[in-house]
Coordinates of all heavy atoms in Angstrom, one line a residue:
M1 N 0.8 -1.2 0.0 CA 0.0 0.0 0.0 C 0.9 1.3 0.0 O 1.8 1.4 0.8 CB -0.9 0.0 1.2 CG -1.8 1.2 1.3 SD -3.0 1.0 2.7 CE -2.8 2.6 3.5
T2 N 0.6 2.2 -0.8 CA 1.3 3.4 -1.0 C 0.6 4.5 0.0 O -0.5 4.6 0.0 CB 1.3 3.9 -2.4 OG1 1.9 2.9 -3.2 CG2 2.2 5.2 -2.5
S3 N 1.5 5.2 0.7 CA 1.0 6.3 1.5 C 1.2 7.6 0.8 O 2.2 7.7 0.0 CB 1.7 6.3 2.9 OG 1.5 5.0 3.5
H4 N 0.4 8.6 1.2 CA 0.5 9.9 0.6 C 0.3 11.0 1.5 O -0.4 10.9 2.5 CB -0.6 10.1 -0.5 CG -0.4 9.2 -1.7 ND1 -0.9 7.9 -1.7 CD2 0.2 9.4 -2.9 CE1 -0.6 7.4 -2.8 NE2 0.1 8.2 -3.6
F5 N 1.0 12.1 1.3 CA 0.6 13.4 1.9 C 0.3 14.4 0.8 O 0.4 14.0 -0.4 CB 1.7 13.9 2.9 CG 3.0 14.2 2.3 CD1 3.3 15.3 1.6 CD2 4.0 13.2 2.5 CE1 4.5 15.6 1.0 CE2 5.3 13.5 2.0 CZ 5.6 14.6 1.2
F6 N 0.0 15.6 1.1 CA -0.4 16.5 0.1 C 0.5 17.7 0.1 O 0.7 18.3 1.2 CB -1.9 16.9 0.2 CG -2.8 15.8 0.1 CD1 -3.2 15.0 1.2 CD2 -3.3 15.4 -1.2 CE1 -4.0 13.9 1.0 CE2 -4.1 14.3 -1.4 CZ -4.5 13.5 -0.3
W7 N 1.0 18.1 -1.0 CA 1.9 19.3 -1.1 C 1.1 20.3 -2.1 O 0.9 19.9 -3.2 CB 3.3 19.0 -1.7 CG 4.1 20.2 -2.0 CD1 4.4 20.8 -3.2 CD2 4.7 21.0 -1.0 NE1 5.1 21.9 -3.0 CE2 5.3 22.1 -1.7 CE3 4.8 21.0 0.4 CZ2 6.1 23.1 -1.0 CZ3 5.6 22.0 1.1 CH2 6.2 23.0 0.4
N8 N 0.7 21.4 -1.6 CA 0.0 22.3 -2.4 C -1.3 21.7 -3.0 O -1.6 22.0 -4.2 CB 0.9 23.0 -3.5 CG 1.7 24.1 -3.0 OD1 1.4 24.6 -1.9 ND2 2.8 24.4 -3.7
G9 N -1.8 20.7 -2.3 CA -3.0 20.1 -2.7 C -2.8 18.9 -3.5 O -3.8 18.1 -3.8
G10 N -1.6 18.6 -4.0 CA -1.3 17.5 -4.8 C -0.8 16.3 -4.0 O 0.1 16.5 -3.1
P11 N -1.1 15.1 -4.3 CA -0.6 13.9 -3.6 C 0.9 13.7 -3.8 O 1.3 13.8 -5.0 CB -1.5 12.8 -4.0 CG -1.9 13.2 -5.4 CD -2.0 14.6 -5.4
V12 N 1.6 13.3 -2.8 CA 3.1 12.9 -2.9 C 3.2 11.6 -2.1 O 2.8 11.5 -1.0 CB 3.9 14.0 -2.2 CG1 5.4 13.5 -2.3 CG2 3.8 15.3 -3.0
A13 N 3.6 10.6 -2.8 CA 3.9 9.3 -2.2 C 5.1 9.3 -1.3 O 6.0 10.0 -1.6 CB 4.0 8.2 -3.3
F14 N 5.0 8.5 -0.2 CA 6.2 8.3 0.6 C 6.3 6.9 1.0 O 5.4 6.2 1.0 CB 6.2 9.3 1.7 CG 5.1 9.1 2.8 CD1 5.4 8.3 3.9 CD2 3.9 9.7 2.7 CE1 4.3 8.1 4.8 CE2 2.9 9.4 3.6 CZ 3.1 8.7 4.7
R15 N 7.6 6.6 1.4 CA 7.8 5.3 1.9 C 7.9 5.3 3.5 O 8.2 6.4 4.0 CB 9.2 4.8 1.4 CG 9.3 4.7 -0.1 CD 10.7 4.4 -0.6 NE 10.7 4.4 -2.1 CZ 11.7 4.7 -2.8 NH1 12.9 5.1 -2.2 NH2 11.7 4.6 -4.1
S16 N 7.6 4.2 4.1 CA 7.6 4.1 5.5 C 9.0 4.6 6.1 O 10.0 4.2 5.6 CB 7.4 2.7 5.9 OG 7.4 2.5 7.3
G17 N 8.9 5.5 7.0 CA 10.1 6.0 7.7 C 10.8 7.2 6.9 O 11.8 7.7 7.5
E18 N 10.3 7.6 5.8 CA 10.9 8.6 5.0 C 10.5 10.0 5.6 O 9.4 10.2 6.1 CB 10.4 8.5 3.6 CG 11.1 9.3 2.6 CD 10.7 8.9 1.1 OE1 9.5 8.6 0.9 OE2 11.6 8.8 0.3
T19 N 11.4 11.0 5.5 CA 11.1 12.3 5.8 C 10.3 13.0 4.8 O 10.3 12.5 3.6 CB 12.3 13.2 6.1 OG1 13.0 13.3 4.9 CG2 13.2 12.6 7.2
I20 N 9.6 14.1 5.1 CA 8.8 14.8 4.2 C 9.7 15.3 3.0 O 9.4 15.3 1.9 CB 8.1 16.1 4.8 CG1 7.0 15.6 5.8 CG2 7.6 17.0 3.8 CD1 6.5 16.6 6.7
A21 N 10.9 15.8 3.4 CA 11.9 16.4 2.4 C 12.3 15.3 1.5 O 12.4 15.5 0.2 CB 13.1 17.0 3.1
A22 N 12.6 14.1 2.0 CA 13.0 13.0 1.0 C 11.9 12.7 0.1 O 12.2 12.5 -1.2 CB 13.4 11.8 1.9
A23 N 10.7 12.6 0.5 CA 9.6 12.3 -0.4 C 9.4 13.4 -1.4 O 9.2 13.1 -2.6 CB 8.3 12.1 0.4
L24 N 9.5 14.6 -1.0 CA 9.4 15.8 -1.9 C 10.4 15.7 -3.0 O 10.2 15.9 -4.2 CB 9.4 17.1 -1.2 CG 8.1 17.4 -0.3 CD1 8.4 18.7 0.5 CD2 6.9 17.6 -1.2
L25 N 11.7 15.5 -2.5 CA 12.8 15.5 -3.5 C 12.7 14.4 -4.5 O 12.9 14.5 -5.6 CB 14.1 15.4 -2.7 CG 14.6 16.6 -1.9 CD1 15.8 16.3 -1.2 CD2 14.8 17.8 -2.9
R26 N 12.2 13.2 -4.0 CA 12.0 12.0 -4.9 C 11.0 12.3 -5.9 O 11.0 11.8 -7.0 CB 11.7 10.8 -4.1 CG 11.8 9.5 -4.8 CD 12.0 8.3 -3.9 NE 11.1 8.3 -2.8 CZ 9.8 8.2 -2.8 NH1 9.2 8.0 -3.9 NH2 9.2 8.2 -1.7
A27 N 9.9 13.1 -5.5 CA 8.9 13.5 -6.4 C 9.2 14.6 -7.4 O 8.4 15.1 -8.2 CB 7.6 13.9 -5.6
G28 N 10.5 15.1 -7.2 CA 11.0 16.2 -8.1 C 10.6 17.6 -7.6 O 10.7 18.5 -8.4
I29 N 10.1 17.7 -6.4 CA 9.8 19.0 -5.8 C 10.9 19.5 -5.0 O 11.2 19.0 -3.9 CB 8.5 18.9 -4.9 CG1 7.4 18.3 -5.8 CG2 8.1 20.2 -4.3 CD1 6.2 17.9 -5.0
T30 N 11.6 20.5 -5.6 CA 12.8 21.1 -4.9 C 12.5 22.5 -4.4 O 13.2 23.0 -3.5 CB 14.0 21.1 -5.8 OG1 13.7 21.8 -7.0 CG2 14.4 19.7 -6.3
D31 N 11.5 23.2 -4.9 CA 11.2 24.6 -4.5 C 10.2 24.5 -3.4 O 9.0 24.1 -3.7 CB 10.7 25.4 -5.7 CG 10.4 26.8 -5.4 OD1 10.6 27.2 -4.2 OD2 10.0 27.5 -6.3
L32 N 10.5 24.8 -2.2 CA 9.6 24.8 -1.1 C 8.9 26.1 -0.9 O 8.2 26.3 0.1 CB 10.3 24.3 0.2 CG 11.0 22.9 0.0 CD1 11.5 22.4 1.3 CD2 10.0 21.9 -0.6
G33 N 9.2 27.1 -1.8 CA 8.4 28.3 -1.9 C 8.6 29.4 -1.0 O 7.9 30.4 -1.0
R34 N 9.8 29.4 -0.3 CA 10.1 30.6 0.6 C 10.9 31.6 -0.3 O 12.0 31.3 -0.7 CB 10.8 30.2 1.8 CG 10.0 29.4 2.8 CD 10.8 28.9 3.9 NE 11.4 30.1 4.7 CZ 12.3 30.0 5.6 NH1 12.9 28.8 5.8 NH2 12.7 31.1 6.2
P35 N 10.3 32.8 -0.5 CA 11.0 33.7 -1.3 C 12.1 34.5 -0.6 O 12.0 34.6 0.6 CB 9.9 34.7 -1.7 CG 8.9 34.6 -0.5 CD 8.9 33.2 -0.1
S36 N 13.1 34.9 -1.2 CA 14.1 35.8 -0.8 C 15.1 35.3 0.2 O 16.2 35.9 0.3 CB 13.5 37.1 -0.3 OG 12.9 37.0 0.9
A37 N 14.8 34.3 1.0 CA 15.8 33.8 2.0 C 16.7 32.9 1.4 O 16.4 32.1 0.5 CB 15.0 33.2 3.1
T38 N 18.0 33.0 1.7 CA 19.0 32.1 1.2 C 19.6 31.3 2.4 O 20.1 31.9 3.3 CB 20.1 32.9 0.5 OG1 19.5 33.6 -0.6 CG2 21.2 32.0 0.0
P39 N 19.7 30.0 2.4 CA 19.2 29.1 1.3 C 17.7 28.7 1.5 O 17.3 27.6 1.1 CB 20.1 27.9 1.6 CG 20.2 27.8 3.1 CD 20.2 29.3 3.5
G40 N 16.9 29.6 2.0 CA 15.5 29.2 2.2 C 14.8 28.8 1.0 O 15.1 29.2 -0.1
G41 N 13.8 28.0 1.2 CA 12.9 27.5 0.1 C 13.4 26.3 -0.6 O 12.9 25.8 -1.5
R42 N 14.4 25.6 0.1 CA 14.8 24.4 -0.5 C 15.6 23.5 0.6 O 16.0 24.1 1.6 CB 15.8 24.6 -1.6 CG 17.1 25.2 -1.3 CD 17.8 25.6 -2.6 NE 18.9 26.4 -2.3 CZ 20.2 26.0 -2.2 NH1 20.5 24.7 -2.3 NH2 21.2 26.8 -1.9
V43 N 15.7 22.3 0.3 CA 16.5 21.5 1.3 C 18.0 21.8 1.0 O 18.5 21.6 -0.1 CB 16.2 20.0 1.0 CG1 17.0 19.1 1.9 CG2 14.7 19.7 1.3
F44 N 18.7 22.1 2.1 CA 20.1 22.6 1.9 C 21.0 21.7 2.8 O 21.8 21.0 2.3 CB 20.2 24.1 2.3 CG 21.6 24.6 2.1 CD1 22.1 24.8 0.8 CD2 22.4 24.9 3.2 CE1 23.4 25.3 0.6 CE2 23.7 25.4 3.0 CZ 24.2 25.6 1.7
C45 N 20.8 21.7 4.1 CA 21.7 21.0 4.9 C 21.2 19.6 5.3 O 22.1 18.7 5.4 CB 21.9 21.8 6.2 SG 20.4 21.7 7.4
G46 N 19.9 19.4 5.3 CA 19.4 18.1 5.6 C 19.5 17.6 7.1 O 19.2 16.5 7.4
I47 N 19.9 18.5 7.9 CA 20.2 18.1 9.3 C 19.5 19.1 10.3 O 19.8 19.1 11.5 CB 21.7 18.0 9.7 CG1 22.4 19.3 9.4 CG2 22.3 16.9 8.9 CD1 23.8 19.4 9.9
G48 N 18.6 19.9 9.8 CA 17.9 20.8 10.8 C 18.6 22.1 11.1 O 18.2 22.8 12.0
A49 N 19.7 22.4 10.5 CA 20.5 23.6 10.9 C 20.2 24.8 10.1 O 20.2 25.9 10.6 CB 22.0 23.3 10.7
C50 N 19.9 24.8 8.8 CA 19.7 25.9 7.9 C 18.3 26.6 7.9 O 18.2 27.7 7.5 CB 20.2 25.6 6.5 SG 19.0 24.7 5.5
Q51 N 17.3 25.8 8.3 CA 16.0 26.3 8.3 C 15.4 26.5 6.9 O 14.3 27.0 6.7 CB 15.8 27.5 9.1 CG 16.2 27.3 10.5 CD 15.4 26.3 11.3 OE1 14.2 26.4 11.5 NE2 16.1 25.2 11.6
G52 N 16.1 26.1 5.8 CA 15.7 26.3 4.5 C 14.5 25.5 4.1 O 13.8 25.8 3.1
C53 N 14.2 24.5 4.8 CA 13.1 23.5 4.5 C 11.9 23.7 5.3 O 11.0 22.8 5.3 CB 13.6 22.1 4.5 SG 13.9 21.6 6.2
V54 N 11.8 24.8 6.1 CA 10.7 25.0 6.9 C 9.4 25.2 6.1 O 9.4 26.0 5.2 CB 10.8 26.1 7.9 CG1 9.6 26.4 8.7 CG2 12.0 25.8 8.8
I55 N 8.4 24.4 6.4 CA 7.1 24.4 5.6 C 5.9 24.5 6.5 O 6.1 24.3 7.7 CB 7.0 23.2 4.7 CG1 7.1 21.9 5.6 CG2 8.1 23.2 3.6 CD1 6.7 20.7 4.8
A56 N 4.8 24.9 5.9 CA 3.6 25.0 6.7 C 2.9 23.6 6.7 O 2.9 22.9 5.7 CB 2.7 26.1 6.0
V57 N 2.2 23.4 7.9 CA 1.4 22.1 8.1 C 0.0 22.6 8.4 O -0.2 23.4 9.4 CB 2.0 21.3 9.1 CG1 1.2 20.0 9.3 CG2 3.4 21.0 8.9
A58 N -1.0 22.2 7.7 CA -2.4 22.6 8.0 C -2.7 22.1 9.4 O -2.6 20.9 9.7 CB -3.3 22.0 7.0
G59 N -3.2 23.0 10.2 CA -3.6 22.7 11.6 C -2.5 22.5 12.6 O -2.8 22.0 13.7
A60 N -1.3 22.8 12.2 CA -0.1 22.6 13.2 C 0.9 23.7 12.9 O 0.8 24.4 12.0 CB 0.4 21.2 13.0
A61 N 1.9 23.7 13.8 CA 3.0 24.6 13.7 C 3.9 24.2 12.4 O 3.9 23.0 12.1 CB 3.8 24.5 14.9
P62 N 4.6 25.1 11.9 CA 5.5 24.8 10.8 C 6.6 23.8 11.3 O 6.9 23.7 12.4 CB 6.2 26.1 10.5 CG 5.3 27.2 11.0 CD 4.6 26.5 12.2
V63 N 7.1 23.0 10.3 CA 8.1 22.0 10.6 C 9.3 22.1 9.6 O 9.2 22.6 8.6 CB 7.5 20.5 10.5 CG1 6.4 20.4 11.5 CG2 7.0 20.2 9.1
E64 N 10.4 21.5 10.0 CA 11.5 21.3 9.1 C 11.3 20.0 8.4 O 11.3 18.9 9.0 CB 12.9 21.2 10.0 CG 13.2 22.5 10.7 CD 13.9 22.3 12.0 OE1 13.6 21.3 12.6 OE2 14.8 23.2 12.3
A65 N 11.1 20.1 7.1 CA 10.8 19.0 6.3 C 11.9 17.9 6.3 O 11.6 16.7 6.1 CB 10.6 19.4 4.8
C66 N 13.2 18.3 6.5 CA 14.3 17.4 6.5 C 14.3 16.5 7.8 O 15.0 15.5 7.8 CB 15.6 18.1 6.3 SG 16.1 19.0 7.7
L67 N 13.6 16.9 8.8 CA 13.6 16.2 10.1 C 12.3 15.5 10.4 O 12.2 14.7 11.3 CB 14.0 17.1 11.3 CG 15.3 17.8 11.2 CD1 15.4 18.8 12.4 CD2 16.4 16.8 11.2
T68 N 11.3 15.9 9.7 CA 9.9 15.4 10.1 C 9.5 14.2 9.2 O 9.4 14.3 8.0 CB 8.9 16.6 9.9 OG1 9.4 17.7 10.6 CG2 7.6 16.2 10.3
P69 N 9.1 13.1 9.9 CA 8.7 12.0 9.2 C 7.4 12.3 8.5 O 6.5 12.9 9.0 CB 8.4 10.9 10.3 CG 9.2 11.4 11.5 CD 9.2 12.9 11.4
A70 N 7.3 11.7 7.2 CA 6.0 11.9 6.5 C 4.9 11.1 7.2 O 5.2 10.0 7.7 CB 6.2 11.4 5.1
R71 N 3.7 11.6 7.1 CA 2.6 10.9 7.7 C 1.4 10.9 6.7 O 1.2 11.9 6.0 CB 2.2 11.5 9.0 CG 3.2 11.3 10.1 CD 2.6 11.5 11.5 NE 1.5 12.5 11.6 CZ 1.7 13.7 12.0 NH1 2.9 14.1 12.4 NH2 0.7 14.5 12.0
E72 N 0.7 9.9 6.7 CA -0.5 9.8 5.8 C -1.4 11.0 6.0 O -1.8 11.3 7.1 CB -1.3 8.5 6.1 CG -2.5 8.3 5.2 CD -2.1 8.0 3.8 OE1 -1.1 7.4 3.5 OE2 -2.9 8.5 2.9
G73 N -1.8 11.7 4.9 CA -2.8 12.7 4.9 C -2.4 14.1 5.3 O -3.2 15.0 5.3
L74 N -1.1 14.2 5.7 CA -0.7 15.6 6.0 C -0.9 16.5 4.9 O -0.8 16.2 3.7 CB 0.9 15.6 6.3 CG 1.3 15.1 7.7 CD1 2.8 15.1 7.7 CD2 0.7 15.9 8.8
R75 N -1.3 17.7 5.2 CA -1.5 18.8 4.1 C -0.5 19.8 4.4 O -0.5 20.5 5.4 CB -3.0 19.4 4.2 CG -4.0 18.3 4.0 CD -5.4 18.8 3.7 NE -6.2 17.7 3.3 CZ -6.3 17.3 2.0 NH1 -5.6 17.9 1.0 NH2 -7.1 16.3 1.7
L76 N 0.4 19.9 3.4 CA 1.6 20.7 3.5 C 1.7 21.8 2.4 O 1.1 21.6 1.4 CB 2.9 19.9 3.5 CG 2.9 18.7 4.4 CD1 4.0 17.7 4.1 CD2 2.9 19.1 5.8
G77 N 2.4 22.8 2.7 CA 2.7 23.8 1.7 C 3.7 24.8 2.1 O 4.2 24.7 3.2
P78 N 4.1 25.8 1.2 CA 5.1 26.8 1.6 C 4.6 27.6 2.7 O 3.4 27.8 2.9 CB 5.2 27.6 0.3 CG 4.4 27.0 -0.7 CD 3.5 26.0 -0.1
L79 N 5.4 28.2 3.5 CA 5.1 29.2 4.5 C 4.6 30.4 3.7 O 5.1 30.7 2.7 CB 6.3 29.6 5.3 CG 6.8 28.6 6.3 CD1 8.1 29.1 7.0 CD2 5.8 28.3 7.4
P80 N 3.6 31.1 4.4 CA 3.2 32.4 3.8 C 4.4 33.4 3.7 O 5.2 33.4 4.6 CB 2.1 32.9 4.7 CG 1.7 31.7 5.5 CD 2.9 30.8 5.5
A81 N 4.4 34.1 2.7 CA 5.5 35.2 2.6 C 5.3 36.1 3.8 O 4.2 36.5 4.1 CB 5.4 35.9 1.3
I82 N 6.4 36.6 4.3 CA 6.4 37.5 5.4 C 5.7 38.8 4.9 O 6.1 39.4 3.8 CB 7.7 37.8 6.0 CG1 8.3 36.5 6.6 CG2 7.7 38.9 7.0 CD1 9.8 36.7 6.9
G83 N 4.7 39.3 5.6 CA 4.0 40.5 5.3 C 2.8 40.2 4.3 O 2.0 41.1 4.1
A84 N 2.7 39.0 3.7 CA 1.7 38.8 2.8 C 0.3 38.9 3.4 O -0.7 39.3 2.7 CB 1.8 37.4 2.1
E85 N 0.2 38.6 4.7 CA -1.1 38.7 5.4 C -1.6 40.1 5.5 O -2.8 40.3 5.8 CB -1.0 38.0 6.8 CG -0.1 38.7 7.8 CD 1.3 38.3 7.6 OE1 1.7 37.6 6.7 OE2 2.1 38.7 8.5
H86 N -0.7 41.0 5.2 CA -1.1 42.5 5.3 C -1.2 43.1 4.0 O -1.5 44.3 3.8 CB -0.2 43.3 6.2 CG -0.1 42.7 7.6 ND1 -1.1 42.8 8.5 CD2 0.9 42.1 8.2 CE1 -0.8 42.2 9.6 NE2 0.5 41.8 9.5
A87 N -1.0 42.3 2.9 CA -1.0 42.9 1.5 C -2.4 43.2 1.1 O -3.5 42.7 1.6 CB -0.4 41.9 0.6
Ligands
FES101 S1 17.4 21.4 5.0 FE1 18.4 22.6 6.5 S2 16.9 22.6 8.1 FE2 16.1 21.2 6.7

C-alpha cells in the first residue's frame, strides 16, 4: 500500500520512515516556496541547521521537512510570505 501526503493540494507518495523532504525530493519537488531567504525555500543541509526547508502544516506549527517523518494525509505547503497577510 502506498501512503501519501499533500503538497499544495497534490498527492506525494512516501515510503515508511521517510522524511517529508526526502519524499518531496524524490517526487521532483525542490522549490519549497520561501521567497528571498538564502538558502530558504529548499532542502540545503538536511540536518535541521539551515531552516531552508521549513514548511507549513495545515492545523499545526511549521516543521523542518528534513527532520519530520512523512505521515498519511498531512496537508503541507510553503510558508506564507512575510507580510503577505497584510497585503
Ligand atoms: S534542509 Fe536545512 S533545516 Fe532542513
Side-chain angles (χ1 to χ4, degrees):
M1 182 174 129
T2 303
S3 300
H4 294 85
F5 60 79
F6 297 90
W7 175 257
N8 281 339
V12 175
F14 66 92
R15 299 173 181 152
S16 178
E18 195 170 41
T19 65
I20 293 167
L24 289 172
L25 290 173
R26 194 164 37 74
I29 299 168
T30 58
D31 181 358
L32 302 184
R34 290 176 61 195
S36 74
T38 300
R42 64 188 172 99
V43 176
F44 184 70
C45 72
I47 59 171
C50 76
Q51 304 296 295
C53 69
V54 176
I55 57 172
V57 182
V63 298
E64 294 151 324
C66 71
L67 298 179
T68 306
R71 292 197 328 260
E72 180 68 32
L74 282 176
R75 296 195 173 274
L76 310 169
L79 288 175
I82 295 171
E85 64 276 7
H86 301 294

